[in-house]
Amino acid sequence: MSAPEEDATPSESTPAAAPPRSGLKNPQAAVRGLGAGTLALEVIVLLLTIAPLAVIAGDRKGPAITAALVATVVAIVLAGSMKRNWAWTAGAVLQGLLLLGGFLHWTLAAVGVIFGLTWAYAMHVRRTILG
């Protein structure tokens, strides 16, 4: 065996090498953390929307605040369920429901748009890291 062959890395010596890893020690945990962190931030924002809704929502104040509180509880449950594959789909459904909450008040739709885009990016990162 000559010296250049000894210095070759496994990916150079075998043509059917495995695809490059993400470099993370535990990619599943990193992706779970991304999803849970995104939902935790959404919980904070949803709780912060309650005070303005109480002032500016008018006749639909009660249903809009109730929708924000229900979405908050759902987001908390989903943040704790990120180990399960269905939680990612449920997170996307939550964003869609917030968009529909725009019929109660536009601030719910605004939160839905912002976190819908954020959730889409988190799902893109998940697909990139986990394959």
Side-chain angles (χ1 to χ4, degrees):
M1 207 160 156
S2 65
E5 291 177 19
E6 291 175 9
D7 293 335
T9 61
S11 63
E12 293 173 351
S13 63
T14 57
R21 292 180 37 125
S22 65
L24 298 169
K25 285 185 177 182
N26 189 350
Q28 289 84 8
V31 170
R32 282 194 311 265
L34 172 67
T38 301
L39 288 168
L41 185 61
E42 186 170 6
V43 165
I44 293 168
V45 170
L46 283 168
L47 289 173
L48 288 172
T49 61
I50 293 173
L53 281 174
V55 174
I56 63 174
D59 295 340
R60 296 184 177 176
K61 173 174 41 178
I65 291 174
T66 302
L69 288 173
V70 168
T72 300
V73 170
V74 170
I76 290 169
V77 169
L78 288 176
S81 301
M82 292 313 297
K83 280 188 175 182
R84 296 162 181 85
N85 284 332
W86 59 263
W88 289 90
T89 305
V93 170
L94 174 63
Q95 309 316 316
L97 291 175
L98 280 172
L99 283 172
L100 289 176
F103 288 114
L104 296 173
H105 198 268
W106 64 268
T107 56
L108 294 175
V111 171
V113 168
I114 292 167
F115 282 98
L117 293 172
T118 306
W119 194 253
Y121 178 71
M123 290 184 77
H124 168 73
V125 170
R126 178 180 182 235
R127 275 190 303 270
T128 302
I129 291 176
L130 298 181

